[in-house]
Amino acid sequence: IADIFDIKTAGDIVTDLVLTEKKNHILTVRINRLDRKNALTHDMYTALGDAIEQARDDSDIRCILYTGSDECFTAGNDLGDFSAGLPGEFEDTPVGRFLLLMATSNKPIVASVNGPAVGIGTTMLLHCDMVFAGNNTRFQMPFANLGLCPEGGSSLLLPSWLGRVRAAELLMLGGAFTAEDALRMGLINRVCEPSQTETTALQACARLAAQPPAAVRATRELLNRSGGNELKAAMLAEGKLFAERLKSPENAEAIKAFTEKRKPDFSSFS
């Protein structure tokens, strides 16, 4: 891993695969690993979480924007990085820290999404205040397909937002769905042309940044208040089981099949 990361001292960012820019009270956080479809490693999760802490501690930042490129948001976890499991208790892992920071951020979070938004590329959006997606976006939560389980609080939030049967279909079958589907389900704010997604999201960020900042922070806190403790408990329970599932024979078969470019065979599992 060390040969592909530009490790820096504490400050702006941990890796050049996650870029940040602060401008006009907006902190833009860009996933920048297009040669790997923006697949996320532990170091990248550290950088994504650091950005939230930077925004929390900087009174000049009033809004956070997560984005990728016109072609790709993120293909989810880097399979190679996660093949060894999670490094410690979920709450203390880079991905666990990032998700919990998203859920508890005191600054509003906006996302600009194009192309693949797989796994956490979809579930992290559940913690955003506004989401704008290009018409080329394909959302997917293929956890069960990989012998894993839901994460990011999705097992709690999706049933409460969409109803249990629709959530079960998305999480158990793990099929892809379009931006138009996501709009109908109320998971995003608007469908855009891919070249205009980030511009549209930045316009929303600018409007948020022009609002009374304390009022916006209070509103976000109230919107998240009802499920705060329950959400954290769900995320920790998911994280514990997810770590166990990473070591399961089903996940091993799914990863082996992926590398061998074949369909996984789960027929021998009970």
Side-chain angles (χ1 to χ4, degrees):
I1 296 173
D3 62 337
I4 61 172
F5 285 96
D6 178 19
I7 303 299
K8 298 180 173 66
T9 57
D12 280 341
I13 216 66
V14 175
T15 166
D16 59 0
L17 301 185
V18 175
L19 306 174
T20 61
E21 179 187 17
K22 186 176 82 168
K23 185 177 181 181
N24 298 327
H25 305 295
I26 301 164
L27 181 67
T28 299
V29 186
R30 187 179 308 279
I31 306 170
N32 184 45
R33 197 190 184 196
L34 284 174
D35 60 320
R36 301 291 182 87
K37 295 185 179 179
N38 285 346
L40 299 168
T41 64
H42 297 309
D43 289 297
M44 291 171 73
Y45 280 121
T46 296
L48 293 171
D50 286 350
I52 299 176
E53 290 193 332
Q54 178 186 347
R56 179 194 65 196
D57 299 335
D58 186 344
S59 60
D60 190 54
I61 296 173
R62 297 187 177 187
C63 183
I64 306 168
L65 172 66
Y66 281 101
T67 186
S69 73
D70 291 356
E71 296 82 31
C72 184
F73 185 58
T74 173
N77 290 332
D78 182 289
L79 295 180
D81 217 38
F82 278 72
S83 60
L86 293 179
E89 295 296 319
F90 179 76
E91 191 170 4
D92 301 319
T93 63
V95 62
R97 168 179 172 262
F98 167 60
L99 286 169
L100 289 166
L101 283 169
M102 281 203 84
T104 57
S105 171
N106 67 334
K107 305 292 174 70
I109 302 175
V110 177
S112 165
V113 185
N114 288 311
V118 180
I120 196 167
T122 294
T123 58
M124 67 177 282
L125 304 177
L126 305 179
H127 305 289
C128 294
D129 299 288
M130 298 180 194
V131 180
F132 301 87
N135 57 24
N136 64 340
T137 306
R138 291 296 179 270
F139 300 95
Q140 189 174 13
M141 294 173 285
F143 305 117
N145 312 44
L146 295 171
L148 300 172
C149 68
E151 42 84 326
S154 55
S155 66
L156 173 70
L157 297 175
L158 288 174
S160 66
W161 294 358
L162 308 180
R164 190 185 185 284
V165 294
R166 184 171 285 180
E169 179 180 0
L170 294 177
L171 294 172
M172 290 183 180
L173 296 182
F177 55 100
T178 67
E180 288 77 12
D181 294 330
L183 183 64
R184 283 193 294 271
M185 288 187 280
L187 296 177
I188 66 173
N189 293 82
R190 194 175 309 165
V191 179
C192 310
E193 289 296 323
S195 62
Q196 294 300 309
T197 308
E198 188 170 318
T199 299
T200 304
L202 277 169
Q203 289 171 348
C205 289
R207 292 181 64 187
L208 281 169
Q211 292 284 82
V216 171
R217 292 195 301 271
T219 301
R220 186 177 210 272
E221 181 179 354
L222 289 169
L223 284 170
N224 293 337
R225 184 180 180 183
S226 61
N229 292 333
E230 190 179 4
L231 176 58
K232 182 177 180 179
M235 292 172 75
L236 294 180
E238 290 170 345
K240 182 176 184 297
L241 189 54
F242 193 94
E244 294 172 2
R245 298 300 307 162
L246 280 172
K247 301 175 183 178
S248 69
E250 291 178 342
N251 178 246
E253 163 59 16
I255 300 305
K256 184 179 180 183
F258 178 82
T259 58
E260 295 175 354
K261 299 185 182 344
R262 62 173 174 83
K263 186 176 180 180
D265 180 8
F266 300 119
S267 61
S268 64
F269 298 102
S270 59

